[in-house]
Amino acid sequence: MSYDDLSREFLERVEEYRSLGVNPLTLATGCAVKIDLVSVLYPALRRIKEPLEIEGLSILPRRDADIFKGSVEGLRVHREIYRSEEEVDQERLIRFSPERAVVLVQIYQRNAGDPELVSRIVGGVYEKIARSVGRIVIGKGHSIVSADPKAQFMLFDFVRVEGDRDRLVLGNNDTIQIIDPAESPGSLRQTAVALGNSLNDLYILGAWRNTTIIPVADAPSEKLKNIIEDNMRSLAESIGARILRASQPSSGALLMGATVFAETDRTPPMFYDRISPGMIILASRPFGELAPINVYLMAMYDRDIAEELRRSYGITIEKILEIKRYVIDLMSRPNIHIARIIEGKLPQIGEEFDPSRHIAATTDVTGPGVYVIKELAELSGASIRLERIPLISPELSEFATRSYIMPNATAGTNGAVIFVASERVIEEIEEELRGYGENPVRIGRIISREGPRVLAPSNLRRFIASKTYLREFEYYEVS
């Protein structure tokens, strides 16, 4: 298909979005919609954490999912959506008496770049909740940016646990606005990527049994909102999960994702103190899914960009389209097979960790991209040598960085999974992953426990423009 044909098709899609009152060119794709963690979110949370703890509200450190004792059967969940602290209904909260919460925060983009503003918006609501219920734990929070000032809100899935507490429940929320504005907003693949991304943080910890999904859906029309929710039900059925109904945001902005829960009788792979020199870091497959999507969109928007790509890298618009279709297919596939692999290499609850049989740690390469390796170093106190950056399209990631299309062109959505384990365990994981058609890549190793450092190849600078992220690595030269 020629550029003109693709451009015509793209412009028709843009008009479809605009007829719904949405400008697709203002929507960030996938996890690119997250509030910047390093320069905004973490400083904002540091400002409010201590005063809130005095009130009884604890915010757990960033991790892939909330983890607590209980069972999915004994879980009671109640959703509330607040646009300001004045909307917090204290009497209703007292009646429900929650122990913890999974939170989605969507902040208008003019507020989302200022840690002081973010801390005021979030802190006011948290303080009102703490004064209502006393002790409560914010186990997992997900923070995103909206271009629509009417779409600023905080969504709480409050949790109370009843019955047996001999297993572990894992909870998470991940919500995006869109994955590919070149596709219909109601396509099953858009919803599949969003739901797969929500589930991925449970899967990487080996939890998939008794999965429960509480959709998050918003749209400019009720018809589109119903389509997204129908897609959710169809996808849940395909993986044997249960759907719970709950109230939804009604801002009219495009939004799709879910709060999800699953349970396990294994200890999740968070043995950070058992990570030792010589352990291998494995990626389940190459990553950097968002770069091809964003480069394609910009090339459709501006023909000069398409021409520059062809001149500089020999990549035609048809080739970008082919890569984009490949990554959407990749992201719309749930990683439940990886959850089963991980579950099989974890100790039962109460059993001792054995480095010759068990996985020490895992994480998810999504919004932060390769920055998750730095987070891994911080959590474990270990020094890591990053030896490879396996990107789906190094050329498109480099172009996205060089052209300031993305601040971090290693980012993805429903992304690859990182494993840390001994050589023997990694060999077994590689064999199982290949059996599922994955393409695992060894990307680095633990070199010492002398402090959290990441030595990265100097070519990382070709794929990340954000100086905030680049400052977190030390570099060695590669040819």
Side-chain angles (χ1 to χ4, degrees):
M1 194 180 287
S2 69
Y3 181 91
D4 289 337
D5 291 336
L6 289 170
S7 178
R8 192 178 310 111
E9 190 177 277
F10 177 74
L11 292 174
E12 287 172 2
R13 186 68 69 199
V14 168
E15 285 309 308
E16 179 187 348
Y17 277 89
R18 284 182 171 155
S19 71
L20 295 167
V22 175
N23 181 356
L25 301 176
T26 67
L27 297 175
T29 57
C31 289
V33 74
K34 281 184 176 181
I35 292 179
D36 187 280
L37 298 178
V38 177
S39 63
V40 179
L41 188 64
Y42 293 163
L45 292 180
R46 280 196 292 270
R47 289 168 192 256
I48 60 176
K49 193 170 180 182
E50 194 173 321
L52 287 171
E53 282 179 352
I54 293 169
E55 299 283 350
L57 185 145
S58 304
I59 303 172
L60 295 186
R62 170 179 148 75
R63 57 187 185 190
D64 292 302
D66 188 21
I67 303 172
F68 51 93
K69 290 182 178 178
S71 66
V72 167
E73 187 182 347
L75 214 59
R76 302 291 175 263
V77 184
H78 172 71
R79 176 172 289 178
E80 294 274 346
I81 300 170
Y82 308 129
R83 284 166 185 78
S84 69
E85 59 199 72
E86 285 76 27
E87 293 187 2
V88 176
D89 187 324
Q90 292 182 297
E91 290 186 7
R92 200 156 57 214
L93 274 181
I94 291 166
R95 281 199 300 276
F96 184 70
S97 188
E99 300 169 27
R100 52 205 313 129
V102 175
V103 184
L104 165 66
V105 181
Q106 179 162 269
I107 294 185
Y108 177 45
Q109 62 186 13
R110 288 193 180 176
N111 300 328
D114 183 340
E116 171 63 31
L117 270 177
V118 172
S119 67
R120 269 192 269 148
I121 293 164
V122 173
V125 175
Y126 278 168
E127 188 176 343
K128 190 85 174 279
I129 291 169
R131 289 180 177 172
S132 306
V133 298
R135 301 198 66 78
I136 184 167
V137 175
I138 305 300
K140 178 66 192 282
H142 179 59
S143 309
I144 59 178
V145 179
S146 173
D148 184 348
K150 300 189 299 299
Q152 181 167 294
F153 65 83
M154 295 179 72
L155 180 152
F156 290 80
D157 281 316
F158 290 108
V159 173
R160 191 177 73 232
V161 184
E162 298 175 352
D164 295 337
R165 299 195 182 214
D166 56 349
R167 282 160 281 172
L168 293 175
V169 175
L170 281 69
N172 180 54
N173 180 287
D174 264 307
T175 300
I176 62 174
Q177 291 166 356
I178 199 73
I179 191 63
D180 182 5
E183 279 206 16
S184 167
S187 80
L188 186 63
R189 297 205 314 166
Q190 304 264 23
T191 315
V193 176
L195 180 57
N197 191 46
S198 307
L199 292 166
N200 213 34
D201 284 337
L202 308 185
Y203 289 164
I204 64 160
L205 297 174
W208 59 276
R209 296 180 187 274
N210 293 333
T211 299
T212 297
I213 296 167
I214 311 172
V216 176
D218 200 357
S221 71
E222 280 302 309
K223 182 181 176 185
L224 178 55
K225 196 170 176 176
N226 291 338
I227 289 172
I228 294 170
E229 291 187 282
D230 286 346
N231 288 345
M232 286 275 179
R233 279 189 282 276
S234 170
L235 292 162
E237 189 177 337
S238 72
I239 57 169
R242 177 178 65 141
I243 284 268
L244 291 185
R245 293 178 65 85
S247 55
Q248 298 293 349
S250 53
S251 66
L254 199 54
L255 208 61
M256 57 186 84
T259 295
V260 292
F261 296 96
E263 68 182 32
T264 181
D265 60 1
R266 313 298 170 98
T267 302
M270 300 167 72
F271 302 99
Y272 302 117
D273 61 335
R274 304 298 300 275
I275 288 177
S276 59
M279 283 188 169
I280 307 294
I281 302 174
L282 179 78
S284 60
R285 59 169 172 76
F287 45 86
E289 298 90 347
L290 297 184
I293 298 171
N294 283 280
V295 169
Y296 179 78
L297 294 177
M298 295 310 295
M300 285 290 98
Y301 185 64
D302 184 345
R303 190 170 196 144
D304 289 344
I305 290 176
E307 281 300 311
E308 188 185 340
L309 254 174
R310 189 186 56 77
R311 283 196 305 270
S312 301
Y313 295 95
I315 299 178
T316 62
I317 195 68
E318 291 85 355
K319 183 64 180 176
I320 306 173
L321 181 61
E322 179 186 322
I323 297 171
K324 182 178 79 77
R325 285 173 174 158
Y326 168 76
V327 299
I328 299 287
D329 286 344
L330 201 60
M331 288 189 291
S332 57
R333 179 188 183 195
N335 283 329
I336 193 167
H337 56 295
I338 294 181
R340 292 187 172 112
I341 293 173
I342 293 170
E343 181 191 54
K345 299 189 183 308
L346 296 178
Q348 295 279 346
I349 293 172
E351 182 187 359
E352 186 69 17
F353 172 79
D354 178 352
S356 69
R357 295 188 295 123
H358 300 140
I359 297 168
T362 54
T363 192
D364 175 15
V365 190
T366 55
V370 77
Y371 182 74
V372 296
I373 302 300
K374 172 64 177 178
E375 293 179 331
L376 194 57
E378 295 283 351
L379 287 167
S380 62
S383 296
I384 294 172
R385 182 179 173 88
L386 185 61
E387 293 167 340
R388 296 186 64 185
I389 307 162
L391 296 168
I392 291 170
S393 173
E395 297 84 1
L396 293 180
S397 286
E398 182 175 309
F399 183 81
T401 304
R402 200 181 76 187
S403 307
Y404 300 101
I405 294 172
M406 293 179 67
N408 178 0
T410 68
T413 296
N414 193 23
V417 178
I418 298 291
F419 302 82
V420 184
S422 65
E423 172 92 34
R424 176 179 170 180
V425 175
I426 289 292
E427 284 176 1
E428 293 173 359
I429 295 169
E430 286 172 319
E431 186 177 344
E432 290 185 61
L433 285 171
R434 289 192 185 103
Y436 283 109
E438 300 282 359
N439 179 23
V441 185
R442 297 186 183 203
I443 65 169
R445 58 194 168 87
I446 308 298
I447 55 176
S448 79
R449 292 199 57 90
E450 295 173 354
R453 302 168 59 209
V454 178
L455 306 178
S458 56
N459 64 352
L460 180 62
R461 299 188 186 100
R462 289 161 47 194
F463 311 121
I464 297 179
S466 168
K467 290 180 180 173
T468 306
Y469 281 174
L470 288 173
R471 277 198 297 267
E472 298 292 321
F473 297 90
E474 298 173 34
Y475 297 94
Y476 64 89
E477 291 301 318
V478 292
S479 56

